[in-house]
Amino acid sequence: MIRRAELNPKTEADFKRDLVALIPHLRAFARTLCGDAAAADDLAQDAVLKAWDARASFQTGTNMKAWTFMILRNQFYSEKRRSWRQSQLDQDAAERTLVAADDPEAPVALDELRLALAMLPSEQREALILVGAGGFAYEEAAEICGCAVGTVKSRVSRARRALQGVLERGAYDRDGRPAGEAMRTILADAERLSGQR
Amino acid sequence: MVVTMPDRPSRAPKGASSSNVEEARLRQQAIGVKLRQMFDQVVSEPVPDEFLDILRRHDKKASDGQD
C-alpha cells in the first residue's frame, strides 16, 4: 500500500523537522503504554523509524501527530502479539517501575495516578490518555485506535469513572494511607496548578 | 489556561444530588489536570541523543544503499 513516491528534498526536510518535533510526544505516549521507561524509548525509536520509512505514504495536510501515534500503537500491539511472554515481562516491569517510582521529589499524587492508571484495561487507558492528555479529539483517537468514535467515548468515560473510583477508595497496594487520601491530594494539587496559570 | 472537560449533560434529578454532580465534576477536572501534568512531564524531558542518531544513521544508510 505504501507508495514509494519520491518526495522532493524540501518536503522531506519538512517531514523530518515535523517528525523530530513529535518525538517528545511519542515518548510520552509510549511511556503510558509500556510503563518501563527504557522499553518505552525503544518503542518510540522504532515508531520514529517506521514513520520515516513510511514518509511517502503520509498524506500532507492530514494530522501527522495522529498518524505517528497510530504507527507507535500498532508497533506496540504487534510486538505484544509476537511475544506474549515478553509482554508479560513488560507488565511485571511496568508494575515494578510504578511501585518503585518513589522519588521523594515527585509529587505524591502523580504516583497514585500512575498506579491507578496501570489498573485500567489497556484500551480504556489508551483512550483516556489520547483524549485526556494527548490533546486528541474523539474522532482522532478513534482513528488511532482503529475503532468507532462511540467506542472511544464510552472507553474514556468508563476510564474516568474507574480512575476516580480507584483514587477515592485507595484500592491499590501502597502504604496503607487512609482511603480517599489520593483523591484529596489530587484535588489540592490540581487547584494549585490551575492557580498558577 | 482554563480547564474544560467535555462533560456529559447532567442527568441527575433536580435538587438533591446537584452538589454531588458538581463535586464529581470537580474531581474529574482535577484528574484531568493531573493526567495532562503526567504526560507533559515526559514531553518536556530532553530527547535522548539516540533518537536523532538513529534517524541520521538510517538516513545515511538509505542514501548509501541507493534503493
Side-chain angles (χ1 to χ4, degrees):
Chain A
M1 207 198 111
I2 294 173
R3 285 174 296 119
R4 271 278 162 217
E6 278 302 310
L7 295 176
N8 70 53
K10 180 177 182 314
T11 316
E12 194 135 288
D14 285 349
F15 183 92
K16 191 169 196 170
R17 188 201 55 221
D18 293 346
L19 182 58
V20 167
L22 285 168
I23 291 174
H25 300 268
L26 290 167
R27 290 184 73 227
F29 184 41
R31 192 82 61 91
T32 66
L33 292 177
C34 295
D36 176 58
D41 267 357
D42 285 348
L43 173 65
Q45 281 176 18
D46 287 350
V48 167
L49 276 186
K50 273 221 149 72
W52 178 247
D53 284 342
R55 62 194 177 278
S57 72
F58 175 70
Q59 306 277 322
T60 312
T62 61
N63 187 334
M64 186 166 168
K65 187 177 171 189
W67 183 73
T68 53
F69 271 51
M70 184 165 61
I71 289 173
L72 186 143
R73 182 185 175 277
N74 289 344
Q75 179 75 11
F76 174 68
Y77 285 109
S78 71
E79 276 173 13
K80 261 184 100 153
R81 266 197 301 278
R82 209 174 304 141
S83 170
W84 183 246
R85 193 180 130 65
Q86 184 59 41
S87 77
Q88 205 53 44
L89 290 174
D90 287 350
Q91 188 75 39
D92 292 346
E95 276 162 23
R96 271 199 309 279
T97 309
L98 288 161
V99 176
D102 270 333
D103 175 4
E105 304 283 304
V108 171
L110 269 190
D111 272 3
E112 314 282 6
L113 184 63
R114 284 196 189 93
L115 281 169
L117 265 178
M119 295 174 71
L120 298 181
S122 59
E123 72 271 12
Q124 286 184 26
R125 182 170 52 242
E126 68 181 10
L128 180 62
I129 292 289
L130 290 170
V131 172
F136 289 104
Y138 285 117
E139 290 73 16
E140 293 166 333
E143 207 173 310
I144 292 170
C145 299
C147 64
V149 177
T151 308
V152 172
K153 285 184 179 169
S154 85
R155 283 176 185 170
V156 169
S157 97
R158 270 182 291 154
R160 283 194 172 125
R161 276 201 304 275
L163 212 52
Q164 188 179 342
V166 170
L167 290 167
E168 281 169 359
R169 285 192 310 274
Y172 39 77
D173 190 18
R174 205 177 144 84
D175 52 9
R177 278 189 299 147
E181 178 96 341
M183 194 65 232
R184 270 199 298 281
T185 316
I186 284 175
L187 276 167
D189 252 42
E191 208 166 298
R192 189 177 50 76
L193 281 171
S194 51
Q196 285 170 355
R197 292 168 198 220
Chain B
M1 187 187 129
V2 179
V3 178
T4 51
M5 299 280 294
D7 266 336
R8 296 175 299 280
S10 153
R11 266 180 241 104
K14 280 193 184 124
S17 59
S18 70
S19 66
N20 288 347
V21 170
E22 176 62 10
E23 177 66 20
R25 200 185 60 80
L26 276 177
R27 290 181 172 212
Q28 283 300 339
Q29 211 169 65
I31 290 172
V33 169
K34 298 300 290 185
L35 265 182
R36 278 189 293 279
Q37 192 199 357
M38 186 190 82
F39 194 85
D40 291 346
Q41 225 171 49
V42 184
V43 172
S44 61
E45 284 176 11
V47 171
D49 290 340
E50 300 97 79
F51 276 89
L52 301 176
D53 288 349
I54 212 171
L55 262 184
R56 244 194 312 268
R57 257 205 318 276
H58 194 73
D59 210 10
K60 188 172 182 307
K61 202 170 62 194
S63 62
D64 289 351
Q66 301 287 323
D67 60 301

